[in-house]
Amino acid sequence: MRTHDQAGAAERTAAGPAEIPSAGRRADEFSARRRGVLRNYFYHHPRLMDVAVVLAYLVVASGTLLSSDPETNFASHTVLVLASAGVLMFRRDRPLAVLAVIAVFEIINIALVPTASNIGTGLWFALYAVGVRYGTVFSFVVGAIASIPLLAYTLLFYQFPEELLSTYGPTAGETSIITAIVILLSNVIAVGIGASVRRGREHEAELRQWAIRNAQLASVAERNRIAREMHDVVAHSLTVMVALADGAAVVVKRDPHKAVEVLGRLSQTGRTALADMRRVLGVLREDNGQDDSRAPQPDHTDLSALMEGFRQAGLPLVVTHSGPLLPPDPTLALTIYRIVQESLTNVLRYATAVSRVQVVIGHDPDHGVVTVRISDDGHGTIDPAQGTEASMGSGQGIMGMRERAGIYAGTVDAGPGTHGGWTVNVMLHPAAGRE
């Protein structure tokens, strides 16, 4: 069975090669505040706590050692007290063995000195250690078994000193019964306190593991978000840049002025992509000194600029808005922006013979729904080696759109249109994102 320090070291090793994860540290700090300064000190210095227990035992036993009763077996009692104190130093490592030895010592103690001030005290500390280490039922069963010898001696053989009995008080037999009951109750309380401390420590360990698991889930979610943002930025920007470069190569001789304009757009798209990547990757830095905005966060003008960029890249875009303005929610704007961006990037990358691309954004506040529809009339790219439609990517883009829509309890349906081309239908519920 491991000690607390060994268990803590194992947890730290499992959590990380060199340090406890930040979530674990926060959980440890919370537990430390609950324990207070004194308990927290002994929690981190268990051997000093063992010394404090031994000192407490010696203080209780000092009442007999300092008495002036000539009948007190002083030498034997002193040896027994010191032996018990030495055994109690190992209660944390071997609680059951210590309990067995102390149970024997208690019988010898009460037989040598019936008026000893420390009768049953050693059992309290030993039973507490058992309650801390083992399960509740097992601890109480062991506590009952360990109490039987002392209880039996007290009820059957113990002779309470006559000089301590009152004329109108309980008799010697009644006093023995009362003493046995007190011993039994104190032992039960000692086991109960130990079991309570053990449950508290188990609860703290569960809270710590829960905090670490939550931090790990949050880290995974953040990694997925960054990967999704990077996919959107890189896939869109590179696709548009390739299209602009191809267009510039075509018109450079026929219309140099137009080629210069297209190349300017190409340069602007590249710079925008670099800026977006810096903002997305900025969240990976610790203490980057910037605000925690999940950039890039587009507004409505960004959406218009996005459409214009695709038009310059060669898409015959038609954009339609229906209903009132969208709710002033930056995350909703980012969701719509990225979905439209991904859909139009796929059209630009995979579709051929496109004569019309339509983007329809609708807002129905009565039903709390925002709809986005992106459709085209093109055809899939033909694989010259097989004469069939080339693969439409890895599917990560559509998966990313569905993850974004899931923030607003939304759905994304993507597939071939009824009259050819490709259609993406999105339904969002803005109220769900505020819950």
Side-chain angles (χ1 to χ4, degrees), residues 317-332:
L317 269 175
V318 176
V319 182
T320 305
H321 294 269
S322 63
L325 293 176
L326 296 176
D329 182 351
T331 305
L332 176 63

Side-chain angles (χ1 to χ4, degrees), residues 131-290:
V132 170
R133 174 67 67 85
Y134 300 100
T136 303
V137 175
F138 178 81
S139 298
F140 276 107
V141 170
V142 171
I145 294 174
S147 302
I148 289 175
L150 185 59
L151 293 176
Y153 185 92
T154 302
L155 292 173
L156 301 177
F157 305 104
Y158 181 65
Q159 297 294 326
F160 203 82
E162 294 291 339
E163 63 274 11
L164 299 180
L165 294 176
S166 174
T167 305
Y168 302 101
T171 63
E174 293 172 342
T175 303
S176 297
I177 294 174
I178 294 173
T179 303
I181 293 175
V182 171
I183 292 174
L184 179 61
L185 290 178
S186 61
N187 291 348
V188 170
I189 292 173
V191 175
I193 294 175
S196 176
V197 171
R198 175 179 50 80
R199 285 195 296 269
R201 293 177 181 176
E202 290 174 351
H203 181 62
E204 289 180 1
E206 291 173 356
L207 286 178
R208 188 178 188 279
Q209 293 303 317
W210 174 83
I212 292 175
R213 284 195 300 269
N214 274 9
Q216 291 172 341
L217 290 175
S219 176
V220 171
E222 182 64 9
R223 288 173 184 268
N224 290 337
R225 188 193 72 82
I226 293 172
R228 189 168 59 242
E229 292 284 351
M230 288 297 296
H231 171 272
D232 291 342
V233 171
V234 174
H236 159 70
S237 300
L238 290 181
T239 300
V240 172
M241 290 170 70
V242 169
L244 290 172
D246 291 342
V250 171
V251 303
V252 64
K253 294 181 180 180
R254 186 175 62 244
D255 189 351
H257 180 73
K258 181 66 175 179
V260 171
E261 181 182 343
V262 173
L263 289 174
R265 181 66 186 180
L266 174 63
S267 176
Q268 180 183 354
T269 302
R271 290 190 177 92
T272 302
L274 286 175
D276 287 350
M277 290 178 63
R278 289 192 187 99
R279 288 194 292 267
V280 172
L281 295 177
V283 300
L284 293 176
R285 303 171 185 167
E286 295 182 0
D287 301 326
N288 55 13
Q290 300 175 358

Side-chain angles (χ1 to χ4, degrees), residues 413-427:
D413 295 321
T418 55
H419 302 290
W422 191 266
T423 302
V424 177
N425 287 306
V426 181
M427 180 177 292

Side-chain angles (χ1 to χ4, degrees), residues 304-348:
S304 300
L306 176 70
M307 303 298 184
E308 183 60 29
F310 276 108
R311 287 193 182 98
Q312 292 191 19
L315 286 185
L317 269 175
V318 176
V319 182
T320 305
H321 294 269
S322 63
L325 293 176
L326 296 176
D329 182 351
T331 305
L332 176 63
L334 177 60
T335 299
I336 296 173
Y337 181 95
R338 290 305 192 198
I339 289 175
V340 172
Q341 182 188 60
E342 175 65 24
S343 301
L344 295 180
T345 299
N346 288 338
V347 175
L348 188 61

Side-chain angles (χ1 to χ4, degrees), residues 46-56 89:
R47 291 307 175 187
L48 291 180
M49 186 66 205
D50 294 339
V51 173
V53 167
V54 170
L55 291 177
M89 280 295 296

Side-chain angles (χ1 to χ4, degrees), residues 55-89:
L55 291 177
Y57 176 77
L58 292 176
V59 168
V60 174
S62 64
T64 304
L65 296 176
L66 298 177
S67 67
S68 58
D69 187 355
E71 296 183 3
T72 299
N73 195 338
F74 182 80
S76 301
H77 184 65
T78 301
V79 171
L80 189 61
V81 167
L82 294 178
S84 298
V87 170
L88 286 175
M89 280 295 296

